[in-house]
Amino acid sequence: DDDGAFIVNAATVTLVKSAVVTNALGTTDPVPGATITYTIVATVAGSGSLNGLAITDNIPSNTRYVPGSITLGGASLSDAVDADAADYNGTRINVALGAVAGGQTRTVTFRTTIQ
């Protein structure tokens, strides 16, 4: 008999950000003109899901965003505020992940150039 019982679902999210530097010299030195590729992985754990999950990340100082470089799960997204999940407003990227259930991950990437 389940009278008066509550079913509780819970979910937590973990974000892990990494960066890989590449340059024209074929090294990973962070010199002017080098490209930094950022990867942010959102992992949801638990028995529930998170609705309206989004990743917003500021573009680091002394770098310039590479236009058209945002991806979600490997799929390219536009920089404009439009029907796809991402936008770039001149200072930060934002990617809407939507509903993400426990046990799922979403991966966002974007690139900047060192000034």
Side-chain angles (χ1 to χ4, degrees), residues 13-19 38-43 55 106-108:
V13 64
T14 302
L15 297 173
V16 176
K17 182 178 179 182
S18 60
Y38 293 97
T39 301
I40 304 170
V41 179
T43 302
I55 291 176
R106 299 289 186 270
T107 302
V108 172

Side-chain angles (χ1 to χ4, degrees), residues 1-2 8 10 21 35-36 46 68-69 92-95 102 108:
D1 185 342
D2 288 335
V8 176
V21 178
T35 299
I36 306 171
S69 66
R92 58 96 185 117
I93 61 110
N94 184 67
V95 181
V108 172

